[in-house]
Amino acid sequence: MIEAILSSYGFGALIASFAIGAVGALALRKSDTAANVWSNAFAVLGSAWGIVYALLAVTAVSAPEYIVDASAAFPLLSVSFHIDKLSAFFIFVISLIAFLCSIYGMGYVRHFYKKYNIGSLGFFYNFFIAGMLLVVSASNALVFLIAWEIMSVASYFLVVYERNDHRNVRAGFLYFVMTHIGTAFILLAFLVMYKFTGSFQFAAIAHNIASIPPFAASVVFVLALAGFGTKAGIIPLHIWLPDAHPAAPSHVSALMSGVMIKTGIYMMIKIFLDVFTDIPLWWGLTVLVLGAVSSLLGVLYALTEHDLKRLLAYHSIENIGIILLGVGSAMVFSSSGMLPLAALGIVAALFHTLNHATFKSLLFLSAGAVVSATHTRNIEEYGGLIKRMPQTAFFFLIGSMAISALPPFNGFFSEWLTFQALFGGILALPSAASWIFVLAVGALALTGGLALACFVKAVGAVFLARPRSEEARHAKESSFSMRTGMAFLALLALVFGVFSGSVSLTIGRVARDIGKFGAAELPFAVSPLEQISVQNGFASASAPAIAMMFIVAACIAALGLRAAYRKQKVVIGETWDCGTPPTSRAEITATAFSRSIIMIFKGILKPTKQTGIEYRDATARYFPKARTITLGISDIYRAYLYEPLQVALTKFSERVKTIQSGNINAYVLYIFVALLVLLVYVIL
Amino acid sequence: MEHLFVQLLIVIMFLAAVFLHVVKKNSTAAVLYCAQSAAMATILLAASIEADSRPLLFVALATFAVKTLIAPLFFAHLIKRHQLKFSASTYLSVPLTLIAVAALTALTRSHIFAPLVALGNGREGMLSLALAMMLISLFLIVNRKGAISQMIGILSLENSIVAFAVFAGLEQAPGLQMGIMFDILVWVVVATVFTSMMYKQFGSLDVTAMQRLKE
């Protein structure tokens, strides 16, 4: 049975489910309901199959490998897939999130009926998932690039799906441009590797990796980091992410933010730790610094946001930064020969990958439910939704606690493991490198605190107090299928937290399948009561113990309060309001909440403030009618990086344009001269 | 004797390419191309007899039909329809053009092209002429402003490439050659239609008139 599932037929069935879902949705496009049910049903089916397949592949003794021989038609293109434990882990993450997003999607997509084509949504949605699965399964660089393009193009069409909003079309264009700039870098990295190893097969490249000179290897590192970093959304290559993720339908946003950007992380681990095995120290330190910067700046930008989905998108940048802290520390330890610590770094990174996929999808799905109920993404127009959407509010709260790394939810344990990997670096590395680890620890701690502040703002402004708009006042709870998808994700956030020890051990098996980590002993142990003990007792954490502690503390507090107020009568009276009735205008807004923190970091965030006054009499200008204050932050990446780059590129293009004379004879002359030069060059 | 006959044919082809630079009338250019193509078809016919190959014979006949009959017919129709008696002007004067043609021919005889010419294996002279024809045909496209001359230049370039392949022993499978022939036929039809449209739009077949299309 297991052999049958892991056979090429099993893998083919996995991809075929999504292909059938895609084509069927397009065929049924005339009926919105049929297209929706068909596409999401096959996505659910395929994802469920993917979960089973991945779990079996993670535990399999030998990795499944499938090769379709197409060398007769395309000599360099070997259509081959290799499912090692790392691939299987990512197939599991993709399938798990796709499974729950598709259940959610069945209900969510209904609000697009009669507005947009549901068939095309189902078509691109299924191809998007299939593309991601193929990306993490490909064992040949050319097949990988084809899968990468399927994923990128399908996700582009999903970003511009709500095309009547011009902001979405613009976000899609930026995403399309950035993703293809990233692809260009990736292609160059593969070509450099091909030049020295003579193969596009990852296994063959890894086997002949010694033939790549150190300088060329470093060029590959920089190109791959830029290419995959663009997809992952590391700062400063992130500019597409806060625009594109919110633009897509929410269940797609959940997949993009929770899973798609992780394909960049997958390839970084694959190239930097699996294909290359002996890497220089500075590679790891670079990734570590980028991770620290991305995590800190990501959360700071999230704090400034008052668009709910953009806020979540910025948190994706933050969490990619945290994952990179794990990957970077693993690279540093690997180049220093400290394989057990390197394995710890990878376990932390992969565990956070799984956790972030879980809670970020949950948050995006909850945000989607709120947005579809209120028809706005502006946090300032929400308020009081806990009374109208109590279950959605509960799920959002769980997601917020998980992303804020509050125990016993999963986010806490993966960040805790990341801390342990960084502490290991401080203890074990020479002073210069260890100082970078010290700064990374500081950045991670600060990130955790700021993330908590950001979600206090988000939960408070969205769900608490009184409604601040008519839409919020009349919002209704989301549909059953939407709540089912969110409920399972919330449950998973708790389960992955409580059983973090077992999950860490399973991920440890994945880590030991990467590169030279097979020889490494995992530097942590897990007791039967799920207590994780790192580096022979340097630190330990037990999720069940923490959960129990919370339950006991809550019981004691409840009992104490009851005992203290048992004899006291509850008197309900009117609040003293100084003569002004307490309306929603008296509430603290999300902008006001975060303003004080923004001002602390004004050197980085460059906040802006514009004031305007409208007078009753514009000529006399004595009596103001209205005052407006517009608060914002400067986009320093556009101002100092992308715009100068664009200006330089435009100037260069203007110069190059002079060769475009419009004269056919001139064009043929170029060909003629090029041909002659080439002939002479080849012959000489 | 047979060798001499083939030499004569390649010389005819070469001379046709050179005279294409000199002639002013479009109809004369079409006739020269017709002569060049007939020589090419005869070379292929000789090769088919030498190899006793029936598929190659079909290729030779197809070459004759497409390049010697159909393509010139299209040109004749185009010239008659739009009253395009004379070709448009050139960038270089006739003496300068001939000097450039001589220089290109000399280049193919130089040591730079020696490794390529060595592929001829006893037919180095003919290979050298085929190479010279290629460069001269390309130069015709660069130097002439008339669309018909440029079309003939492209077809002459194609003839020279086939000649080069034959003398270098790089003959392709007959099926492939038939495919190429079909390709040329389609190209001639499309190019003729395109040229007609261009004439309607710009009132001239001078390609410099199309500069207006530039942004």
Side-chain angles (χ1 to χ4, degrees), chain B residues 37-115:
Chain B
S37 301
M40 184 66 249
T42 315
I43 289 172
L44 285 173
L45 189 70
S48 73
I49 292 167
E50 192 180 314
D52 194 20
S53 163
R54 194 171 289 177
L56 213 57
L57 181 70
F58 281 122
V59 172
L61 291 174
T63 305
F64 186 79
V66 172
K67 293 183 181 174
T68 317
L69 300 176
I70 299 172
L73 267 174
F74 269 92
F75 290 135
H77 178 70
L78 195 67
I79 293 163
K80 197 177 165 188
R81 190 175 171 193
H82 299 303
Q83 298 290 307
L84 303 165
K85 200 171 180 185
F86 292 98
S87 174
S89 58
T90 57
Y91 282 96
L92 299 181
S93 64
V94 173
L96 276 175
T97 303
L98 288 175
I99 289 169
V101 166
L104 289 171
T105 312
L107 186 69
T108 59
R109 302 288 296 180
S110 71
H111 73 281
I112 295 171
F113 283 82

Side-chain angles (χ1 to χ4, degrees), chain A residues 185 188-189 192 196 212-226 276 282-283:
Chain A
F185 280 116
L188 278 175
V192 174
F196 292 101
I212 302 181
F215 179 73
S218 296
V219 170
V220 170
F221 166 70
V222 173
L223 291 170
L225 186 64
F276 284 96
W282 71 269
W283 288 19

Side-chain angles (χ1 to χ4, degrees), chain A residues 543-572:
Chain A
I546 294 170
M548 193 57 70
M549 194 181 77
F550 277 119
I551 292 167
V552 170
C555 290
I556 291 171
L559 289 172
L561 284 171
R562 199 173 164 184
Y565 293 104
R566 197 175 46 189
K567 290 178 182 171
Q568 198 167 347
K569 274 189 177 177
V570 177
V571 181
I572 297 174

